Amino acid sequence: MQLLFKAQGVLQQSDLQSCSSLKNETFEMLIRLAENYTSTLFCSAYRNMAAEATVHVQEFFTDVGLFLFGTDISTEEFVNRFFDTLFPVVYNHVINPGPTDISLEYAECLRAARRDIRPFGNIPKKAIGQMGRSLLPSRTFLQALNLGIEVINTTDHLRFSKDCSRALLRMQYCPHCQGLTLSKPCMGYCLNIIRGCLADVAEVDLHWREYIQSLEELSRALSGAHGIEHVLLNFHSLVHDALVQARINGPELSVQVNKICGPPVRKPKQSPGCSFDQNKDNQGLKMFSRDSEETLTNRRKEFISHLRLYRAFYGSLADQLCGNELAAADGLPCWNGEDVVRRPSL
């Protein structure tokens, strides 16, 4: 019975390993790299507020990972939360800096008022759009990969009927009763038996083909400007534009803040400097740079190319097993279920 799934083992051992790597390691590495790019922005250009800002950066990319791997949160919610929490830090260090920090109560007022004051202009709305268009298809792609794994694992543990088991037994061992221990089944005989045993598996064929086609279409939709790789690795540019806009409109924003929250209430300054070590945190991510072949896009394309080779896997499984393992080769004597005959060469 194990012979029936020797061909299927090839699919599991190669492509499912690629799938697992694509699903976990590569996405996690992409998120880490995008987080490091954004944290580096603060440490290089806004060092005085980097320690506070990088905490919110970490929280944001944690939410990105949670969303990608299936947590029920909305992209709009966590993008807005990031800019809400960033506004008090930007106000304290860029818009209205002072010798002391703003109080926690004043910072909470700023956080709650951010969406009305709009210190970052349309940047948050732009980020919400980009994240939604890239993260949702990516999450769907990951869920589709999990579905494929379930299909393969399910068909790997099928139980065959007693009639199938008896037919296999006759096909493989009846020649032994006549002392013909080296004779293999004829191709036609083998195909009839194996196709009967795999009738339920063959029904998966059409759905499997449609599944691979859907993955191909979804993969194409993830490429280009809306691809997750492009969006996440360029998120730091959106944050930079948001900070520039807040700095330029600083005087006007201060007036708006005073109307809503009153004049700044301050406390002794506690903001530490930047503690983010770019070189240390980027170790191990060098293979995932923009110019590297080990990018998410390339890995996804490579995986789809491998999977495409198995488009007809379930429909042709009987042919693979008989042709590669069970049946006699062309021109050799073979067992037809009743006697040994010489199979003509094709």
Side-chain angles (χ1 to χ4, degrees):
M1 201 67 72
Q2 292 178 349
L3 289 174
L4 288 175
F5 291 99
K6 191 165 283 188
Q8 192 167 11
V10 175
L11 174 61
Q12 288 178 300
Q13 291 168 13
S14 61
D15 290 287
L16 285 186
Q17 286 178 354
S18 299
C19 171
S20 177
S21 175
L22 179 73
K23 180 167 68 77
N24 296 317
E25 177 184 327
T26 313
F27 274 88
E28 290 170 0
M29 195 171 292
L30 170 64
I31 293 170
R32 281 181 56 204
L33 187 60
E35 178 183 327
N36 285 2
Y37 281 165
T38 310
S39 295
T40 300
L41 164 69
F42 286 101
C43 282
S44 59
Y46 300 92
R47 196 172 184 83
N48 60 334
M49 64 174 178
E52 295 173 78
T54 52
V55 172
H56 304 309
V57 170
Q58 291 171 0
E59 292 172 348
F60 172 78
F61 283 101
T62 296
D63 286 337
V64 168
L66 290 173
F67 179 87
L68 272 178
F69 294 110
T71 301
D72 187 20
I73 56 176
S74 73
T75 53
E76 180 177 1
E77 176 186 342
F78 67 73
V79 171
N80 271 326
R81 182 163 58 244
F82 170 72
F83 285 104
D84 288 346
T85 55
L86 185 62
F87 179 41
V89 181
V90 174
Y91 178 86
N92 189 40
H93 295 280
V94 178
I95 297 174
N96 191 5
T100 56
D101 289 331
I102 57 175
S103 67
L104 294 177
E105 293 78 10
Y106 198 79
E108 177 59 26
C109 180
L110 293 174
R111 189 199 63 78
R114 196 274 304 173
R115 300 181 201 188
D116 294 326
I117 297 175
R118 301 181 72 245
F120 308 120
N122 68 341
I123 300 298
K125 183 178 180 180
K126 185 177 180 180
I128 290 171
Q130 289 186 0
M131 290 293 165
R133 286 190 296 269
S134 67
L135 296 185
L136 184 57
S138 297
R139 181 164 78 167
T140 303
F141 185 80
L142 289 174
Q143 291 171 340
L145 293 181
N146 286 328
L147 176 62
I149 294 173
E150 290 179 13
V151 170
I152 295 172
N153 287 340
T154 299
T155 56
D156 188 38
H157 295 88
L158 287 178
R159 292 183 177 274
F160 295 102
S161 67
K162 291 183 179 180
D163 289 341
C164 167
S165 299
R166 283 194 292 266
L168 286 172
L169 187 64
R170 285 195 301 269
M171 182 183 77
Q172 291 190 278
Y173 295 107
C174 275
H176 294 195
C177 297
Q178 301 182 26
L180 305 171
T181 56
L182 299 180
S183 294
K184 286 188 173 184
C186 298
M187 177 61 75
Y189 179 44
C190 179
L191 288 174
N192 286 337
I193 298 298
I194 300 301
R195 284 172 180 169
C197 288
L198 295 178
D200 291 339
V201 175
E203 293 180 1
V204 178
D205 182 59
L206 177 60
H207 303 290
W208 179 252
R209 291 172 184 266
E210 292 174 347
Y211 166 75
I212 293 179
Q213 181 179 350
S214 298
L215 274 183
E216 291 176 329
E217 295 171 354
L218 188 55
S219 180
R220 286 193 292 270
L222 295 175
S223 302
H226 297 322
I228 183 174
E229 189 174 24
H230 178 83
V231 170
L232 290 186
L233 294 182
N234 286 280
F235 180 71
H236 68 99
S237 296
L238 279 182
V239 174
H240 174 266
D241 293 343
L243 296 174
V244 169
Q245 184 156 337
R247 186 176 67 244
I248 293 174
N249 298 326
E252 178 183 341
L253 292 173
S254 293
V255 173
Q256 290 182 271
V257 167
N258 286 341
K259 290 180 180 179
I260 297 175
C261 298
V265 178
R266 298 187 174 274
K267 62 177 182 177
K269 204 169 190 67
Q270 296 178 345
S271 300
C274 177
S275 59
F276 174 74
D277 187 343
Q278 178 185 358
N279 293 327
K280 177 182 177 181
D281 286 351
N282 277 343
Q283 286 180 358
L285 299 176
K286 294 178 181 178
M287 290 300 293
F288 202 91
S289 65
R290 297 172 189 266
D291 300 326
S292 172
E293 294 182 0
E294 293 294 320
T295 63
L296 178 61
T297 299
N298 289 327
R299 287 195 179 190
R300 187 174 60 242
K301 289 179 179 178
E302 181 182 352
F303 170 74
I304 293 296
S305 296
H306 281 300
L307 196 60
R308 198 178 289 123
L309 299 175
Y310 298 98
R311 187 190 301 274
F313 177 77
Y314 287 104
S316 63
L317 187 54
D319 299 80
Q320 294 178 53
L321 290 169
C322 290
N324 298 334
E325 184 70 33
L326 299 177
D330 290 347
L332 295 180
C334 61
W335 174 257
N336 65 3
E338 296 181 358
D339 202 356
V340 173
V341 297
R342 182 168 292 276
R343 179 183 175 191
S345 300
L346 299 178

